[in-house]
Amino acid sequence: MELKLYDTLTREKRPFKPLDPANVRMYVCGPTVYDFAHIGNARPVIVFDVLFRLLRHLYGADHVTYVRNITDVDDKINARAAQEYPAMPLNEAIRQVTEKTDKQFHDDVAALGCLPPSIEPRATEHIAEMRELIERLVASGNAYVAEDNVLFSVPSMPDYGQLSKRPLDEMIAGARVEVAAYKKDPRDFVLWKPSKPGEPAWPSPAEIKAPGRPGWHIECSAMSMAELLQPFGGGLVCDDPQKNVFDIHGGGVDLVFPHHENEIAQSCCAFGAPRMANVWMHNGFLQVEGEKMSKSEGNFVTIHELLKDSSWPGAILRFQMLKTHYRQPIDWTRKGTDSAAIELGVFDIFTEGVRSRQTRAGKVPEDVLSALADDLNVPLAISVLHKLAEECRKSDDPWSQAAHDLRASCDFLGLDLSEVSYRKLYERQHGRIDESRVSDLINERSQARANKNWKESDRIRDELAAMGVVLHDTKDGTTWEIAR
RNA sequence: GGCCACGUGGCGGAGUGGUUACGCAGCGGUCUGCAAAACCGUUUACCCCGGUUCAAUUCCGGGCGUGGCCUCCA
């Protein structure tokens, strides 16, 4: 099976050829840990988790390295720390904020069924590599010092702007931001900047006396080097440009410019590499109820709220996210969550037996895998799952091959069905169903029906319906389930 | 203002130069005391205007709409 991925750089879907099939390497930009992650942050985490699973399937679990960083040095973190812990020394407050947010993030994404990446480097653990990279860029003439800042010189890189397709000279025209006076060129960006007193600070590179801290973009160049190049023979000590490229770099489409463009500039110029990564993948943006998500609009939806306050099982949120192809925009709505719950509830019904007692090996159908291999066409893969569910419905055997395959497919997609049954959803909202009360009422109703007392029979059925219980009268008696 | 995406039936959402996506909902039927479930059948599509083509929802151009980005972070 051939994996094809859409590459933002070339704007086309291409067959994926790993540099080394024994060491497939992927880097995805992770969160800045200063606040609860919102549902938009969840998208790349879920999307690239599916890709991670697929790569592990295709190349072997031990042959894929997935790096997702944690950004724990950033102005927003500083601001949040000062606001939340005004009495505390800033660095201590920052540690409080980052540790707390970091934990929340991991709890949230675990609930969404995401595997932990192979490595989750933290920016503050890689300051040394950032400094080394900056020194290199200064030495090579790609960066310069100005007022204790180190800036990347965009004109020093003729290819700058390829990823976002922004022509160098036209880029300034529409800019509406004031340009710092010390910049040689308005497009130059910061690699290192001086820290204000009390802020996190490290010894500066390039013989700058004042302590400082890294710019935003350099951390990803440094961490991808440290985790995806150096361990595989590349990095600063290696002059072979081919050793200084990894396979896949991912993130949200909002990162294409400037973040990824600048990462490319830093990495390629530092290592003399023709490319930073062979494939650039970007997930589409997300709106909430038709509106841009923003705190001022009051429609800022965090993963935590959905899981804890609204009691949605993570699998349902994950499924809702995966119902849309990763490059399409999503309008995240409550109605969409309800639909996802109904669909997954069906998968739960048909796999309930095989989840408690697997009687044979389930197999992820080729149709599912080939859909995923076609640039992660998860919606198409899900349509195959519906077909399996259809087979299950037609089968008399609760342990049919289709049921095993459906289970295997859900497992493959990271969809944990253990909490998604209609009953569990109902009980999360309305409290436990009193089963003995239900069976008492059913017995009473059966009596009434035996006596052809349809009025009483229907009254009891209505009473049960009010409890969320729906009856099925069959030849063998009456069964019940929770309303969908 | 510049650059870049996206626009499919009631809703969600794939895909394609000519043939049923799929799911949910709706409608009709079988079944049922009546229902429910199940099964069978079935309605409503490709933003607008041009162009290319034997043929466009699918390619090209323009328009409209929505969204993203426009650098040291709002």
Side-chain angles (χ1 to χ4, degrees):
Chain A
M1 179 176 323
E2 186 179 58
L3 174 61
K4 286 192 212 149
L5 297 172
Y6 181 90
D7 179 16
T8 306
L9 185 65
T10 56
R11 309 277 159 118
E12 63 183 3
K13 217 191 277 184
R14 286 207 320 266
F16 174 68
K17 295 267 177 290
L19 291 152
D20 173 5
N23 292 301
V24 180
R25 291 166 280 164
M26 172 163 76
Y27 187 95
V28 174
C29 290
T32 300
V33 283
Y34 74 104
D35 200 356
F36 284 106
H38 58 66
I39 191 66
N41 300 135
R43 192 167 189 192
V45 178
I46 293 171
V47 163
F48 291 104
D49 179 65
V50 173
L51 180 56
F52 183 38
R53 290 166 185 267
L54 181 63
L55 291 170
R56 286 159 61 99
H57 172 79
L58 294 172
Y59 298 98
D62 297 333
H63 301 288
V64 181
T65 305
Y66 170 26
V67 175
R68 186 181 63 211
N69 68 290
I70 299 279
T71 297
D72 58 355
V73 50
D74 179 275
D75 287 345
K76 281 183 295 215
I77 297 173
N78 300 350
R80 176 59 62 105
Q83 179 198 330
E84 275 195 26
Y85 304 97
M88 211 178 267
L90 184 58
N91 281 299
E92 173 63 14
I94 286 170
R95 205 165 58 77
Q96 295 285 334
V97 168
T98 55
E99 282 181 4
K100 190 177 78 180
T101 313
D102 188 314
K103 183 176 184 313
Q104 283 164 352
F105 174 75
H106 285 97
D107 289 349
D108 288 347
V109 300
L112 293 173
C114 297
L115 300 172
S118 318
I119 307 163
E120 293 188 83
R122 279 151 180 79
T124 52
E125 292 166 0
H126 290 277
I127 302 288
E129 285 92 337
M130 296 185 212
R131 225 186 278 119
E132 274 188 74
L133 280 180
I134 292 169
E135 297 283 10
R136 266 224 171 185
L137 290 167
V138 172
S140 64
N142 293 103
Y144 59 93
V145 176
E147 297 187 15
D148 291 344
N149 294 272
V150 184
L151 291 120
F152 185 91
S153 167
V154 169
S156 73
M157 185 190 190
D159 276 352
Y160 186 85
Q162 295 289 304
L163 184 69
S164 55
K165 301 280 181 284
R166 285 166 198 247
L168 267 178
D169 41 332
E170 284 180 22
M171 218 176 305
I172 317 156
R176 46 173 199 211
V177 179
E178 276 184 57
V179 178
Y182 52 76
K183 282 190 182 180
K184 288 183 183 169
D185 186 288
R187 298 161 300 182
D188 294 348
F189 58 90
V190 159
L191 300 173
W192 189 266
K193 54 190 169 185
S195 297
K196 297 186 189 78
E199 282 182 345
W202 291 265
S204 294
E207 292 167 20
I208 295 170
K209 296 279 187 299
R213 56 204 168 103
W216 173 31
H217 316 295
I218 193 71
E219 62 174 83
C220 289
S221 289
M223 286 187 272
S224 61
M225 174 194 78
E227 308 294 358
L228 293 179
L229 299 181
Q230 223 137 257
F232 301 96
L236 293 169
V237 293
C238 176
D239 290 330
D240 177 0
Q242 294 305 326
K243 293 261 184 201
N244 283 312
V245 178
F246 55 89
D247 292 296
I248 299 169
H249 192 132
V253 69
D254 55 321
L255 297 180
V256 172
F257 188 88
H259 186 52
H260 288 165
E261 201 73 79
N262 291 349
E263 280 185 43
I264 290 172
Q266 295 159 350
S267 286
C268 290
C269 291
F271 302 123
R275 295 175 298 284
M276 181 179 182
N278 270 339
V279 186
W280 287 86
M281 297 179 67
H282 295 96
N283 61 274
F285 232 64
L286 179 148
Q287 286 179 274
V288 169
E289 304 290 350
E291 307 258 320
K292 178 177 176 163
M293 180 165 57
S294 71
K295 281 180 180 165
S296 56
E297 299 276 338
N299 62 350
F300 200 82
V301 180
T302 67
I303 306 169
H304 190 78
E305 277 164 20
L306 291 167
L307 292 169
K308 295 292 182 307
D309 300 347
S310 304
S311 289
W312 289 108
I316 286 176
L317 305 175
R318 182 181 178 93
F319 189 69
Q320 180 177 8
M321 194 70 85
L322 291 176
K323 280 179 68 178
T324 303
H325 183 88
Y326 77 93
R327 282 191 281 117
Q328 292 291 107
I330 288 187
D331 186 12
W332 187 270
T333 62
R334 168 56 203 260
K335 197 178 167 190
T337 314
D338 289 336
S339 303
I342 288 171
E343 283 185 56
L344 263 197
V346 171
F347 295 167
D348 163 69
I349 289 171
F350 294 124
T351 56
E352 206 180 354
V354 299
R355 280 186 282 134
S356 58
R357 198 191 86 186
Q358 196 158 355
T359 56
R360 64 187 98 170
K363 188 168 172 298
V364 181
E366 279 301 305
D367 288 358
V368 171
L369 292 170
S370 62
L372 295 178
D374 185 10
D375 193 34
L376 293 185
N377 195 336
V378 185
L380 189 59
I382 289 173
S383 76
V384 179
L385 268 55
H386 283 298
K387 285 180 187 141
L388 288 174
E390 186 64 23
E391 271 186 61
C392 295
R393 191 177 278 132
K394 287 184 168 151
S395 169
D396 299 329
D397 177 10
W399 294 285
S400 65
Q401 186 64 47
H404 287 86
D405 291 351
L406 180 56
R407 178 211 157 134
S409 300
C410 288
D411 287 348
F412 192 88
L413 289 171
L415 295 165
D416 172 13
L417 299 180
S418 63
E419 295 297 320
V420 306
S421 70
Y422 299 130
R423 174 158 184 181
K424 285 191 173 164
L425 282 182
Y426 184 91
E427 290 186 335
R428 276 171 183 243
Q429 302 283 334
H430 301 94
R432 288 196 70 78
I433 298 280
D434 182 347
E435 287 195 42
S436 64
R437 172 84 179 133
V438 170
S439 60
D440 287 350
L441 283 168
I442 288 176
N443 287 337
E444 277 180 47
R445 177 168 170 277
S446 297
Q447 273 301 316
R449 293 183 73 220
N451 298 329
K452 297 206 189 314
N453 185 350
W454 308 128
K455 199 178 169 192
E456 175 63 4
S457 159
D458 291 351
R459 189 198 63 74
I460 295 170
R461 188 168 61 198
D462 289 346
E463 187 178 339
L464 283 161
M467 297 164 62
V469 172
V470 175
L471 301 180
H472 308 309
D473 294 327
T474 70
K475 289 187 174 64
D476 305 323
T478 299
T479 62
W480 63 280
E481 66 171 0
I482 296 299
R484 299 183 182 184

